[in-house]
Amino acid sequence: MNVMQQMQETLKSEIKQAVLAAELASEAEMPAIVLEQPKDKAHGDYATNIAMQLARIAKKAPRQIAEDIVAQLNQTTGSIKSVDIAGPGFINFFIDNQYLTKLIPTILEQKEEYGSSDTGKGEKIQIEFVSANPTGDLHLGHARGASVGDSMCNILAKAGYNVSREYYINDAGNQINNLALSVQARYMQALGKEQSMPEDGYHGADIIGIAETLAKEYGEQLLEKSDQEQQAFFREYGLKFELDKLAKDLEQFRVTFDHWFSETSLYEENKITPAIELLREKGYIYEEDGATWFRSTDFGDDKDRVLVKQDGSYTYLSPDIAYHKNKLDRGFDKLINIWGADHHGYIPRMHAAIQALGYDADTLEVEIIQMVNLFENGEKVKMSKRTGKAVTLRELMEEVGIDAMRYFFVMRSADSHLDFDMDLAKSQSNDNPVYYVQYAHARICTMLKQAGEKGIDFADYEASLLQSEKAEELMKKLGEFTQVIADAAINRTPHRITQYIFDLSANLHSFYNAEKVINEDNVEATKARLALMEAVRITLANGMKLIGVNAPQSM
RNA sequence: GUCCCAGUAGCUCAGCAGGAUAGAGCAACAGCCUUCUAAGCUGUGGGUCGCAGGUUCGAAUCCUGCCUGGGACGCCA
């Protein structure tokens, strides 16, 4: 807890004591004390609506209640400068913000650790994200999922959760057979032979690339194998190629995983049938029309779901249930799946499965990432995985740059559709918000460097010299960082981090324009300002790291 | 037909475990570089928070219905 949070806690407990002392409510009736930061400075540094909340309990007019509270308030603690009653009954607190200067040594000392908290209390959370089929290139939607997922992991870890990142490899279904057939067809074509693509084949350029490599390396050798052997070969080769490429692209995108979990392993280790049998023992399974059904309607699903088809093969749901059972068996307190919006209809049956396995529905949390629309030259770019003409993650990284992409994909709330404006993301201009933030960081680096060149060492500084309004605003913003991360973690809203670093950057730029940091005629004040700058730099860098954006020394 | 998401300034979006005069960026307009990077700053204008009810001292925020846009509703994955 930093000084700002301590300050707020002190204030809350003072308010509570005053309410009790005024006999307005008993301990049991006491509502949660809400402190907010008013938008208007005339309403003080903090305000509470407690008087309105108590109106019904105390059966008095809010303004009268507010007066009773203020009369009982111990104003000598908590740096309270003055207290006002305003509006319908708000109590406004004006604080002596000198206490904020204590933040600076804290931040300089904690460095990369600043912003951490134990909010999560070590809760074991597994986050599964991306999990794109290894049948082609990652596209725009995956890129958003990867950005949001990775940022969420970083944020939760920083807020004290024990996070495990996982990628589920769909390497067992029909799509992999199609992959093998597609590679085979392209291989034949590469050898100059007439061969049409399978009906649900993958038309991406990457498949053509695989085939050309194979044609070059093996010539017509592979045709000597039996059709079955060829299938197996193309399947394995294609899968390995696609997986390596996925991992490499994601790593370049600054997204890594603790575990890559193979669907095939569920088959190989015979995990699926036992999972179904477990549900059968619990009475959630029945046979009908030659198929095996899961009675998911017991848990609010629209209809029951088939687990084993008439032909004896599993539906997709079966390995998924086995997979989630496996996750739970690994001892996670909570599972978070990050899915594209097109899979949201799958949520009720998955929640049903979790409950049928004997867990609370909210043990599994599904975060839905809404669709991304790509705009170029003011026009919407149509995407199609079938024709392979979708814009890929790799192309975007080359064309747009990773920093801008990572920033853009988390800057909106995940449940809003995102319009990705290529021209804006590419533009090296002040229209591009990622530069605004990076520029703030680079500006500070320049100042620190120049101070160093002038021989100014701010190891010993007196933070209390920071008394200007702009400096105070900056420090206030710095103090919010830990709580912002905690809120972003609890609410699973990584976009709050982009908002925060944008706001902090705005404060920095404003400060920069209002005050000259390095003034050799006043070395003591200069040192204090340099320490503040370093604190801002650390906080900005920590924030950018959470969303996978680089913090440049210069621009 | 059922379900999910969205509808807030000209545009793109925050705000939504209820709070005071609803915010930001872009666009428009007016200013600020002999001074640490102007990729910056300062200011102005701009809103029936989709519509209609309801709950409340108080609703953009919660509830109900409706309208519009997007998506999902397979013994596909």
Side-chain angles (χ1 to χ4, degrees):
Chain A
M1 204 184 281
N2 65 36
V3 289
M4 180 176 260
Q5 290 167 310
Q6 278 166 22
M7 158 84 223
Q8 293 171 9
E9 288 308 313
T10 306
L11 206 50
K12 282 185 193 177
S13 102
E14 289 302 331
I15 294 165
K16 193 172 164 185
Q17 290 311 315
V19 171
L20 291 172
E23 295 178 355
L24 291 160
S26 68
E27 186 86 41
E29 295 167 321
M30 185 77 60
I33 311 285
V34 177
L35 265 192
E36 60 174 37
Q37 298 188 35
K39 296 157 199 149
D40 188 340
K41 277 179 200 152
H43 296 138
D45 296 289
Y46 292 103
T48 181
N49 62 353
I50 188 69
M52 276 96 86
Q53 291 191 303
L54 287 171
R56 203 172 314 162
I57 296 165
K59 298 196 172 63
K60 279 190 186 179
R63 285 199 70 112
Q64 182 58 49
I65 294 171
E67 278 174 35
D68 294 349
I69 293 171
V70 171
Q72 293 294 334
L73 207 60
N74 177 356
Q75 297 194 24
T76 57
T77 57
S79 301
I80 297 172
K81 216 155 56 178
S82 65
V83 180
D84 257 5
I85 297 168
F90 287 100
I91 305 174
N92 296 331
F93 297 91
F94 293 81
I95 303 296
D96 177 0
N97 283 311
Q98 257 305 300
Y99 81 94
L100 284 170
T101 60
K102 291 182 193 140
L103 271 170
I104 295 181
T106 305
I107 297 171
L108 297 196
E109 192 179 321
Q110 294 190 344
K111 295 196 173 67
E112 293 80 16
E113 289 303 312
Y114 182 60
S116 302
S117 66
D118 64 349
T119 305
K121 298 188 167 57
E123 186 182 8
K124 284 186 71 181
I125 296 191
Q126 189 226 42
I127 305 188
E128 182 214 319
F129 61 110
V130 189
S131 297
N133 289 345
T135 53
D137 285 313
L138 294 167
H139 56 69
L140 218 50
H142 298 129
R144 188 181 191 186
S147 303
V148 171
D150 180 63
S151 303
M152 209 180 276
C153 289
N154 294 340
I155 291 162
L156 285 164
K158 188 116 183 146
Y161 294 83
N162 184 347
V163 177
S164 178
R165 305 149 182 259
E166 188 149 312
Y167 189 115
Y168 182 56
I169 308 165
N170 294 107
D171 54 5
N174 281 329
Q175 74 278 6
I176 300 301
N177 294 331
N178 279 328
L179 173 68
L181 290 169
S182 301
V183 174
Q184 186 177 35
R186 292 299 194 199
Y187 170 68
M188 300 292 275
Q189 289 170 3
L191 292 173
K193 299 187 188 301
E194 195 66 26
Q195 178 78 35
S196 59
M197 288 289 281
E199 195 172 336
D200 295 316
Y202 297 103
H203 297 252
D206 53 326
I207 309 283
I208 297 173
I210 298 173
E212 282 170 355
T213 307
L214 285 173
K216 211 173 285 174
E217 198 170 327
Y218 293 94
E220 299 203 349
Q221 245 180 291
L222 297 176
L223 298 175
E224 292 160 17
K225 294 172 185 278
S226 74
D227 197 52
Q228 205 176 357
E229 284 172 334
Q230 281 190 41
Q231 278 294 308
F233 179 85
F234 288 125
R235 179 191 171 99
E236 196 184 332
Y237 193 94
L239 189 59
K240 184 175 185 318
F241 179 93
E242 293 291 342
L243 271 179
D244 286 350
K245 190 184 56 177
L246 283 174
K248 218 176 79 202
D249 285 354
L250 285 166
E251 194 177 337
Q252 192 186 339
F253 197 50
R254 302 168 192 152
V255 176
T256 58
F257 295 87
D258 298 310
H259 297 292
W260 292 73
F261 190 99
S262 157
E263 181 185 1
T264 301
S265 73
L266 293 168
Y267 288 83
E268 290 171 351
E269 293 166 25
N270 186 31
K271 299 284 192 197
I272 300 171
T273 305
I276 294 174
E277 289 313 309
L278 177 64
L279 296 189
R280 194 190 300 278
E281 280 166 33
K282 292 177 182 249
Y284 301 121
I285 300 291
Y286 63 94
E287 308 289 331
E288 197 174 289
D289 300 332
T292 302
W293 293 75
F294 168 41
R295 196 182 293 105
S296 56
T297 48
D298 281 4
F299 304 100
D301 195 8
D302 285 349
K303 44 190 157 193
D304 293 340
R305 307 291 171 178
V306 172
L307 294 181
V308 185
K309 295 183 250 179
Q310 280 180 337
D311 67 4
S313 63
Y314 296 124
T315 61
Y316 185 69
L317 184 57
S318 293
D320 241 16
I321 291 173
Y323 175 42
H324 283 80
K325 178 177 182 302
N326 172 284
K327 290 185 183 184
L328 294 163
D329 289 346
R330 281 186 264 163
F332 293 111
D333 299 316
K334 189 170 276 286
L335 308 176
I336 297 179
N337 290 355
I338 296 181
W339 287 352
D342 52 344
H343 285 81
H344 83 261
Y346 205 71
I347 298 173
R349 76 192 72 167
M350 218 50 239
H351 272 144
I354 295 293
Q355 290 172 84
L357 288 168
Y359 296 85
D360 287 341
D362 64 4
T363 307
L364 170 69
E365 206 175 291
V366 181
E367 298 296 331
I368 290 299
I369 310 290
Q370 287 296 332
M371 299 184 44
V372 181
N373 290 315
L374 184 66
F375 284 80
E376 193 164 21
N377 304 321
E379 275 182 36
K380 188 168 163 178
V381 181
K382 268 281 169 197
M383 302 180 261
S384 160
K385 203 172 185 183
R386 266 188 81 80
T387 59
K389 280 184 185 158
V391 178
T392 67
L393 170 65
R394 197 166 341 105
E395 287 165 354
L396 276 174
M397 285 195 283
E398 283 159 16
E399 203 168 336
V400 174
I402 297 165
D403 288 333
M405 289 177 71
R406 291 293 307 255
Y407 191 95
F408 271 62
F409 282 129
V410 288
M411 92 179 153
R412 304 295 181 215
S413 86
D415 50 18
S416 279
H417 295 194
L418 178 72
D419 289 337
F420 188 89
D421 184 336
M422 281 277 270
D423 307 306
L424 176 58
K426 277 197 291 192
S427 75
Q428 309 240 331
S429 76
N430 52 359
D431 299 350
N432 194 334
V434 68
Y435 291 113
Y436 185 82
V437 172
Q438 291 185 314
Y439 184 48
H441 185 269
R443 255 188 165 167
I444 295 171
C445 290
T446 303
M447 287 187 274
L448 295 172
K449 188 166 159 244
Q450 291 193 6
E453 284 164 359
K454 289 182 200 293
I456 302 170
D457 176 5
F458 61 94
D460 60 321
Y461 60 91
E462 183 45 59
S464 62
L465 294 173
L466 296 165
Q467 289 180 337
S468 71
E469 194 183 322
K470 295 287 185 191
E472 194 176 287
E473 283 171 11
L474 251 184
M475 289 188 285
K476 250 181 159 170
K477 190 54 85 176
L478 289 175
E480 293 169 17
F481 189 49
T482 309
Q483 192 59 48
V484 167
I485 295 172
D487 287 346
I490 291 166
N491 298 312
R492 327 286 192 226
T493 48
H495 72 278
R496 298 221 28 199
I497 302 299
T498 54
Q499 278 179 288
Y500 175 81
I501 59 179
F502 189 89
D503 289 347
L504 178 57
S505 299
N507 281 324
L508 182 277
H509 289 308
S510 180
F511 172 85
Y512 180 93
N513 275 274
E515 295 187 32
K516 188 131 169 39
V517 170
I518 299 170
N519 177 0
E520 289 175 278
D521 294 335
N522 190 344
V523 176
E524 287 313 307
T526 296
K527 286 179 176 177
R529 283 189 294 257
L530 286 169
L532 172 62
M533 290 300 98
E534 174 64 2
V536 175
R537 191 198 65 73
I538 288 169
T539 307
L540 275 177
N542 291 359
M544 285 188 262
K545 194 173 176 201
L546 289 174
I547 57 166
V549 171
N550 281 336
Q553 302 281 316
S554 65
M555 286 174 76

